[in-house]
Amino acid sequence: GESVGLHLPTLSVQEGDNSIINCAYSNSASDYFIWYKQESGKGPQFIIDIRSNMDKRQGQRVTVLLNKTVKHLSLQIAATQPGDSAVYFCAEAFSGGYNKLIFGAGTRLAVHP
Amino acid sequence: EPEVTQTPSHQVTQMGQEVILRCVPISNHLYFYWYRQILGQKVEFLVSFYNNEISEKSEIFDDQFSVERPDGSNFTLKIRSTKLEDSAMYFCASTPSSGANTEAFFGQGTRLTVV
């Protein structure tokens, strides 16, 4: 069946270091992969997405990498800041639908000064 | 910046009671969604809604659940007879259009506690 999951439930990094959050997915038919950030007490917030026909996309301090061969998605955060502390979810979406998102389990990123 | 707003932020209800969770999507958005997140677990899709009807629903969204857009601004989720396992954060989301590449905007959530 469909599933999107995460390798690491918790990631602790030092402020200024780069962070890498990983995600494995199982549905080859997904068209888009999205990373969401969820701060305590808030709803998920869009960070960056990538189409299935791409392997890399960069945003401001974030990069998403997609490896369809091994069905792996990662989010790289450069120069991690305390404000990056949150739970990060990967999600997948399918064209032709109504933007239903299938979320992974989440990774907590803790940034230490 | 426009945002999705949800009320109440926390709802406590007794098992078997009906609850209505309210959402005001972003004003020019056309597609509306409810998701839920059981404590410590992943966010799960419940239902999508467009043009005054359900466009897709998950197996979680059984006949105890219903959604409605009673006026031009509100979007509600009703649970007719709450169960303990309905305790979760419920998130409303909206998008301006359909399509997998359309960014979904989420509200801050309603924490539902069934006792």
Side-chain angles (χ1 to χ4, degrees), chain A residues 20-80:
Chain A
I20 300 176
I21 301 171
N22 297 301
C23 175
Y25 66 93
S26 62
N27 194 325
S28 301
S30 298
D31 298 295
Y32 277 87
F33 301 89
I34 310 105
W35 282 100
Y36 278 87
K37 173 185 181 183
Q38 186 178 25
E39 296 174 284
S40 180
K42 297 184 179 180
Q45 180 183 11
F46 174 92
I47 301 173
I48 190 169
D49 64 2
I50 187 168
R51 294 177 66 130
S52 59
N53 62 355
M54 300 171 65
D55 54 20
K56 181 178 180 179
R57 189 171 186 214
Q58 287 186 290
Q60 188 175 16
R61 278 202 309 118
V62 294
T63 301
V64 56
L65 299 177
L66 175 63
N67 186 331
K68 294 194 73 176
T69 302
V70 295
K71 297 180 183 175
H72 184 267
L73 187 71
S74 68
L75 176 70
Q76 299 179 359
I77 305 173
T80 313

Side-chain angles (χ1 to χ4, degrees), chain A residues 31-32 36 38 41-44 46 49 89 93-95 97-101 103-105, chain B residues 31 33 35 37 42-43 45 48 55-56 91 95 98-104 106-108:
Chain A
D31 298 295
Y32 277 87
Y36 278 87
Q38 186 178 25
K42 297 184 179 180
F46 174 92
D49 64 2
F89 294 93
F94 308 88
S95 291
Y98 293 91
N99 204 34
K100 177 180 78 173
L101 297 169
F103 283 86
Chain B
Y31 297 80
Y33 313 84
Y35 290 80
Q37 184 179 31
K42 63 185 179 182
V43 178
F45 170 79
S48 58
S55 45
E56 188 171 2
F91 293 105
T95 60
S98 66
N101 62 334
T102 303
E103 179 183 342
F106 284 80
Q108 80 282 10

Side-chain angles (χ1 to χ4, degrees), chain B residues 16-80:
Chain B
Q17 294 297 304
E18 174 184 287
V19 293
I20 298 176
L21 309 183
R22 303 182 190 279
C23 169
V24 178
I26 295 173
S27 61
N28 63 343
H29 285 191
L30 301 176
Y31 297 80
F32 314 113
Y33 313 84
W34 283 100
Y35 290 80
R36 80 171 187 190
Q37 184 179 31
I38 295 172
L39 185 63
Q41 298 186 23
K42 63 185 179 182
V43 178
E44 301 173 289
F45 170 79
L46 292 178
V47 66
S48 58
F49 189 86
Y50 169 70
N51 199 27
N52 282 320
E53 60 183 27
I54 292 173
S55 45
E56 188 171 2
K57 62 182 180 180
S58 72
E59 63 276 9
I60 302 169
F61 195 89
D62 61 23
D63 57 7
Q64 291 300 307
F65 291 85
S66 63
V67 288
E68 189 179 28
R69 188 158 163 81
D71 53 43
S73 60
N74 290 285
F75 178 52
T76 62
L77 174 69
K78 181 192 290 186
I79 308 175
R80 290 190 182 83

Side-chain angles (χ1 to χ4, degrees), chain A residues 19 37 39 61 77-88 109-111:
Chain A
S19 302
K37 173 185 181 183
E39 296 174 284
R61 278 202 309 118
I77 305 173
T80 313
Q81 301 169 0
D84 295 327
S85 294
V87 177
Y88 289 80
L109 177 65
V111 182

